[in-house]
Every structure is written in C-alpha cells, then in structure tokens.
Amino acid sequence: MDTEDLRLAVYTSFALTGRAPEFSVLAERFGAGEARSGLRALHEGRHLVLGPGDEVVMAHPFSSVPLGFAVMGAWTLWWGGCAWDSFAMPHLLPGDPEVLVSTRCPGCGAPHAWSVGRDAPPSGNQVAHFLVPVSRMWDDVVRTCGNQRLFCGEACVDEWLARTGNDRGYVMDVSTLWRLARGWYAGRLDRGYRRREPTQAAEYLREAGLRGRFWGLPEE
C-alpha cells in the first residue's frame, strides 16, 4: 500500500481539528486491513506513533494525549506533544501564524504562556530541559516528549531533577528552542514529505545553536 494518502489523512485531521482521525473513518476510506497495515508501516517509518489497539497517539508535532502543553490557534486547540512540538506549530500551520502556548513549570508548578509566531522568538527568561538524548529519543517516544518541558529557570530544573532522580539532560533558552522548532517539520503537511537524512538533521541542529553529544554532534 502507498501510505502517503493515509499519512496525509492523519496529519490533515490533526491540523484542522486538533484530533487524530477515528479508525472507522480511515477504514471506510482505505479499507480496514489496508488502514491498519498502513498505520503500522507509518509507525515503523517514524511518521507517527501508535498506542494500544493501533490508536494514533502522536503525529509530530501533533498529539492526541496531553503531555504538558496546550496550543491555541485562532479556531483550534491542540495538545502540544512537548516544548519542541508546541513551538513548531505556527511554522507548520498555514492558517495560524501565531499560537498561544501554555504549560506549567514541572519544578514549581508556576503557569507560563507565550505567543509564538514565525518571525522572531517570544520573550522570556524560561529554559527548556530535554531529558532524553537524541540517540534514544525513539526508544519510548511518549516518554521522550513528555520530558521535553519548559521551566521557570535553572533552579526549577535542578529541583525537579533532584525530586525525580533523573540525570541532567540538555538545557536551552527560549530563543534556541524557537530556532530548533521553526523549520524542523517543514513540509510535513505536504504530499511527498521525506524525513531528513542524518547528515541533514545534524546540520539543522547545529544551525539552531545546539552542541554536543546529547544531540549526536561533535564537542566544540
């Protein structure tokens, strides 16, 4: 089965409604067997993430489950899969050049919100902490995304790490997060989308300002 129509059906549903399409809708359009095998192929190809019963849990940057972020556009409300995905939304959605991203600091519970647009990073002294290094991000994608969070600052990151027993991952400021997010999903709503090759991905990460082994990049 050519899965491109199926992939676009999933992504278009998320983009327009904030929700994954019901399997019954996909089965009616593509046939139940073809839809199920196609979803599994897309999962294996890392175009989406399936949960129990082949439910679509994530189709980055979209999520069907809450992972700490809400993203509000002009007419649609989405779950933001993580800090990275939430900041990517306005760069991907043609009808929403600016969105409101909201969350709570995992360290102290303080609420935060940013108006995130396409032209420049939002202001703010908060920091993003990514727990899982790039080489292991797909071991458990939901856990990875659930631990890409925004904190009040370094002190809240340290408090959360001490409380949870996690080792420190990678910390970046809001501007770096915006640069990371702005072009990462470019073309994902278009027919014929292709994931970046590893060398292209590494160059993109470097241009966003990321460094070091956490991102699979040489130390500088």
Side-chain angles (χ1 to χ4, degrees), residues 140-195:
D140 183 340
V141 184
V142 175
R143 176 178 180 270
T144 293
C145 291
N147 285 285
Q148 295 179 353
R149 300 294 301 275
L150 277 151
F151 293 74
C152 299
E154 295 267 5
C156 279
V157 173
D158 293 340
E159 189 281 331
W160 179 80
L161 292 172
R163 173 160 45 86
T164 60
N166 287 306
D167 294 328
R168 189 179 183 86
Y170 192 95
V171 176
M172 68 186 81
D173 60 21
V174 169
S175 293
T176 302
L177 174 65
W178 182 85
R179 291 196 300 272
L180 170 63
R182 65 178 169 178
W184 184 253
Y185 295 117
R188 191 155 283 199
L189 294 179
D190 300 331
R191 181 173 297 280
Y193 170 81
R194 293 290 182 270
R195 294 173 58 85

Side-chain angles (χ1 to χ4, degrees), residues 12 23 57 99 139 163 196 213:
T12 299
F23 182 77
V57 176
V99 297
D139 292 354
R163 173 160 45 86
R196 288 182 180 82
R213 287 180 295 175

Side-chain angles (χ1 to χ4, degrees), residues 58-71:
M58 303 187 75
H60 295 293
F62 307 111
S63 175
S64 62
V65 295
L67 292 171
F69 291 86
V71 180

Side-chain angles (χ1 to χ4, degrees), residues 26-205:
L26 297 176
E28 182 177 355
R29 177 175 174 185
F30 299 101
E34 291 292 298
R36 196 172 301 282
S37 63
L39 288 173
R40 290 173 180 172
L42 290 169
H43 174 86
E44 291 298 321
R46 298 184 176 181
H47 290 286
L48 50 80
V49 179
L50 296 181
D54 293 332
E55 172 194 8
V56 178
V57 176
M58 303 187 75
H60 295 293
F62 307 111
S63 175
S64 62
V65 295
L67 292 171
F69 291 86
V71 180
M72 186 171 66
W75 305 104
T76 309
L77 181 66
W78 297 269
W79 292 123
C82 57
W84 187 349
D85 288 350
S86 298
F87 271 49
M89 293 284 199
H91 304 284
L92 181 68
L93 298 164
D96 286 279
E98 184 176 82
V99 297
L100 181 67
V101 175
S102 60
T103 189
R104 287 186 179 273
C105 172
C108 70
H112 295 290
W114 303 263
S115 292
V116 183
R118 299 173 185 170
D119 297 331
S123 60
N125 296 321
Q126 298 89 351
V127 298
H129 176 264
F130 284 27
L131 182 66
V132 182
V134 69
S135 62
R136 293 169 40 212
M137 284 182 177
W138 279 89
D139 292 354
D140 183 340
V141 184
V142 175
R143 176 178 180 270
T144 293
C145 291
N147 285 285
Q148 295 179 353
R149 300 294 301 275
L150 277 151
F151 293 74
C152 299
E154 295 267 5
C156 279
V157 173
D158 293 340
E159 189 281 331
W160 179 80
L161 292 172
R163 173 160 45 86
T164 60
N166 287 306
D167 294 328
R168 189 179 183 86
Y170 192 95
V171 176
M172 68 186 81
D173 60 21
V174 169
S175 293
T176 302
L177 174 65
W178 182 85
R179 291 196 300 272
L180 170 63
R182 65 178 169 178
W184 184 253
Y185 295 117
R188 191 155 283 199
L189 294 179
D190 300 331
R191 181 173 297 280
Y193 170 81
R194 293 290 182 270
R195 294 173 58 85
R196 288 182 180 82
E197 296 296 327
T199 54
Q200 296 173 319
E203 181 60 27
Y204 180 93
L205 297 174

